[in-house]
Amino acid sequence: MRLPRVLVAAALVAAAVGALGAVAARPTLAAQPCSSTGSALTALGLTAHPQANGLVMWSGHVALWDGVPLDVDVTLPGGAGAACPAPFVAFAHGWGNSKSDWESAAATSPDANKSGWNNVSFASRGYAVLNYTARGWHGSCGPDSSSDPLESPAGLPAACTAGGRQYWVHLDDLRYEIRDVQWLIGRLVDAGVADPGRIGVSGGSYGGGVTWLSALANDRTVCGGVGWDPANGPDPCAGKPDGAVVPWRSPNGTPLHVSAAVPEYTWASLALALLPNGRASDGRPGSPASGDLTKPIGVPIESYVSGLFVDGYTPPAVTNGFYQPPTSTDSTADLPLWFALVQAGVNTVSASLPGTSDIVANAVSQLERFKSPLTPLLPFDAKVPVLQIQGNTDPLFPPIHAQLMWQRAKAFAPDYPIGDVYADVGHSYATNPADVWAAFNQKANAFMDHYLRGGPAVPLDVSAVLTRCRPGQEHDPLATMSAPTLAGLAHDMLSFSAATGGTTSNVPLGIEGPATDPIANGGAPSQVPTLFGRGCRVLSAATDPGVVAWTFPVDRTVTLAGQPLVKLTLQTPSPDVELPTRLWDLSPDGKQTLVSRGVYRATGSG
């Protein structure tokens, strides 16, 4: 984004985490016509559906390692020349969605994010493609599977609940959702469909979490999930402690390995995303030293925390998925209890309710240890090639998440094959321009083709597509900055300081908060007439009551890349303070455009 004239101060402070980890041998299988895999796919519970485009989609429910049936589509190349096992891509869907998230009737799609990046676009090039609905959602023991008129868990098939099976959403848990996709891939390898040496994974948001965690787990499966189905033979995790790892093998024993991963607009740390404490750093020289993303527990991003929870299961209005039922004692994914604690004030409730501190500590541990790519359980030793895209204007998973993953990969190995793209994409209120996605999908296809089919190499650098915010800019051609490293994107720095301070306080809301709420004001321009574009929050210049603001002139044209940093001296009688901050671009026409935002929780002396 180009910043003319004037800036109003605000931003966040920061830190990172470290730790990382061997590349498995890549087995090969004899080629055969894809049509010859039909009996094996039928045995899995899938039925063939020839498509108008000449491809074949196999659909049905496949029993997982614990017997839970997942709703699955497998798209195979058609025609006599289609050879299997084929290079293979697994797509993981977003929160509240289903297997159809990355499916299309054609290689192109009206959804710019999916156009040229879907099951048909890959299968048309000779890939085998897996699209599936994750456990607890829609047709995978979710509301779509229920025969109850109210779509309640009471109507689920016996296969979902037999023996106390944990059919519900586990929030991209290594022991459940990641083991699930590993199991599905293994079944398709054994069926002769997927080449075990050419496996790719991709997905956005919730599916991006699956992508990163699958890539990091790579040739390992994380133990701890309960309910192994004896019909699947011996449990490789039997007798292993929670969080132990075993080799990732297909049910028939073939070693498996992820060869390439494309995570999109997703998280590095769920605690950082949902409860940010302001201690995450982009690592640029001059940034703060590393800090703990969970100590103290941060400030809930209330609109999104509530919106995401509601998007699960809140009948009768919303019936996308099932959370853990009240009758369960599962402490690995008690989303209803965790949500209730956040709403009650997770920062203070543990001090007032006996035993609650242990629940809070466990919740944070579960989020960071088993559901976040920054987990200490999985080093980066496999060096799985990654191409990630993150949203500059995404208020749910802002750029810092991709930056943390890039830093951790490069800390493990300076030559780690990882590329970053930052653009106006992702969750509300990102614009997701069609030309941005077309350019990225072209690069991502070349990336997958290189690692899975031996195509030409793709430069893995760090690039940022400038956000077009002002009226008329939406028609400007793409402008992209690129550099070999993250720090190389921002090669200069603007510094401002003020000798005067002010007093901030809790007062009734002004206009800035509601106008920049990504849920209340997340619609298209026609729905939010005071704003230009979904990716930009533009309003008449104003400072809300109770807000301390500093204004600094900028005497030259500046392109901002990287995380702004604010250093404040704070005096307060309170031992626990929440400091929300915003950085605005003030223009001569009397408008202000939101550039960045953050929050810092100060407790005691920190």
Side-chain angles (χ1 to χ4, degrees):
M1 177 189 300
R2 299 207 177 270
L3 301 179
R5 305 276 308 200
V6 180
L7 295 174
V8 176
L12 52 153
V13 210
V17 191
L20 313 162
V23 175
R26 299 186 178 186
T28 57
L29 301 177
Q32 59 183 330
C34 286
S35 57
S36 67
T37 64
S39 58
L41 292 172
T42 299
L44 285 181
L46 304 179
T47 302
H49 301 278
Q51 306 293 293
N53 49 30
L55 308 178
V56 181
M57 178 180 284
W58 290 79
S59 301
H61 285 79
V62 176
L64 291 175
W65 55 275
D66 62 349
V68 169
L70 249 60
D71 190 13
V72 166
D73 288 338
V74 178
T75 308
L76 297 183
C84 284
F88 174 85
V89 173
F91 279 106
H93 64 77
W95 181 264
N97 295 340
S98 70
K99 64 182 183 180
S100 65
D101 206 2
W102 298 95
E103 292 182 338
S104 177
T108 57
S109 169
D111 185 338
N113 186 186
K114 313 302 192 298
S115 191
W117 191 255
N118 56 63
N119 63 321
V120 170
S121 65
F122 275 94
S124 298
R125 305 203 311 276
Y127 285 81
V129 184
L130 168 67
N131 296 85
Y132 68 99
T133 301
R135 73 166 63 211
W137 295 108
H138 294 287
S140 292
C141 296
D144 297 0
S145 300
S146 176
S147 61
D148 186 279
L150 299 178
E151 296 184 287
S152 76
L156 286 175
C160 295
T161 58
R165 289 173 179 166
Q166 297 195 357
Y167 60 84
W168 51 86
V169 174
H170 282 72
L171 209 61
D172 279 1
D173 195 298
L174 284 161
R175 300 158 296 185
Y176 290 94
E177 283 90 351
I178 309 310
R179 191 176 186 182
D180 293 350
V181 71
Q182 290 181 322
W183 179 265
L184 291 176
I185 292 171
R187 296 301 304 267
L188 294 174
V189 166
D190 289 344
V193 166
D195 186 332
R198 298 186 290 171
I199 296 172
V201 290
S202 184
S205 190
Y206 192 63
V210 172
T211 303
W212 255 120
L213 288 165
S214 298
L216 294 176
N218 193 49
D219 53 3
R220 297 161 285 213
T221 292
V222 176
C223 299
V226 300
W228 175 267
D229 188 344
N232 293 318
D235 181 1
C237 285
K240 303 288 185 182
D242 194 36
V245 298
V246 296
W248 178 23
R249 300 284 188 266
S250 75
N252 288 350
T254 301
L256 301 177
H257 173 85
V258 173
S259 297
V262 180
E264 301 186 354
Y265 47 91
T266 192
W267 68 86
S269 158
L270 272 179
L272 168 64
L274 303 177
L275 302 163
N277 64 9
R279 288 156 176 80
S281 170
D282 65 2
R284 177 160 175 80
S287 298
S290 295
D292 195 317
L293 302 180
T294 65
K295 296 178 181 177
I297 296 172
V299 180
I301 55 170
E302 181 59 27
S303 289
Y304 257 115
V305 168
S306 297
L308 290 170
F309 186 81
V310 168
D311 199 32
Y313 183 67
T314 53
V318 181
T319 51
N320 290 322
F322 289 141
Y323 299 142
Q324 175 183 316
T327 54
S328 171
T329 57
D330 174 25
S331 62
T332 69
D334 197 344
L335 303 190
L337 176 59
W338 298 352
F339 177 72
L341 289 175
V342 168
Q343 299 306 94
V346 69
N347 301 334
T348 57
V349 71
S350 60
S352 58
L353 296 177
T356 307
S357 59
D358 293 338
I359 298 174
V360 171
N362 171 67
V364 173
S365 175
Q366 294 293 330
L367 290 178
E368 295 303 278
R369 189 172 176 83
F370 295 105
K371 310 173 196 295
S372 293
L374 286 178
T375 172
L377 293 175
L378 300 174
F380 277 45
D381 51 354
K383 294 180 70 173
V384 173
V386 173
L387 175 63
Q388 60 178 344
I389 184 169
Q390 203 75 8
N392 281 329
T393 53
D394 187 335
L396 177 58
F397 303 134
I400 189 63
H401 291 271
Q403 292 161 4
L404 289 173
M405 297 308 294
W406 191 92
Q407 289 166 215
R408 187 169 173 185
K410 292 297 185 180
F412 172 75
D415 64 344
Y416 194 102
I418 183 171
D420 283 14
V421 176
Y422 300 92
D424 180 16
V425 301
H427 302 86
S428 172
Y429 28 68
T431 307
N432 290 291
D435 55 354
V436 171
W437 277 117
F440 177 77
N441 288 345
Q442 181 179 17
K443 181 174 183 176
N445 275 299
F447 170 84
M448 283 292 196
D449 285 348
H450 171 65
Y451 287 103
L452 302 187
R453 300 179 66 191
V458 176
L460 292 179
D461 54 9
V462 180
S463 61
V465 183
L466 302 191
T467 301
R468 295 166 291 193
C469 257
R470 291 291 176 182
Q473 283 186 326
E474 66 268 30
H475 304 297
D476 290 353
L478 291 182
T480 302
M481 302 167 53
S482 298
T485 67
L486 186 63
L489 268 187
H491 49 78
D492 195 2
M493 185 177 295
L494 287 176
S495 298
F496 306 100
S497 62
T500 59
T503 302
T504 182
S505 61
N506 290 324
V507 296
L509 280 177
I511 65 169
E512 291 180 317
T516 57
D517 187 303
I519 302 299
N521 267 331
S526 60
Q527 299 167 308
V528 191
T530 59
L531 307 174
F532 166 71
R534 289 178 56 201
C536 305
R537 306 291 90 179
V538 182
L539 56 151
S540 297
T543 299
D544 282 352
V547 172
V548 179
W550 295 270
T551 302
F552 305 99
V554 179
D555 57 7
R556 57 189 171 93
T557 299
V558 174
T559 300
L560 180 65
Q563 296 287 106
L565 172 67
V566 169
K567 295 183 179 180
L568 298 171
T569 299
L570 173 67
Q571 292 181 320
T572 175
S574 172
D576 195 336
V577 176
E578 170 188 328
L579 289 173
T581 58
R582 299 187 187 100
L583 175 65
W584 296 95
D585 165 22
L586 299 183
S587 59
D589 62 2
K591 302 293 185 181
Q592 62 186 45
T593 302
L594 183 66
V595 176
S596 183
R597 68 198 305 171
V599 65
Y600 190 91
R601 183 182 175 208
T603 59
S605 59

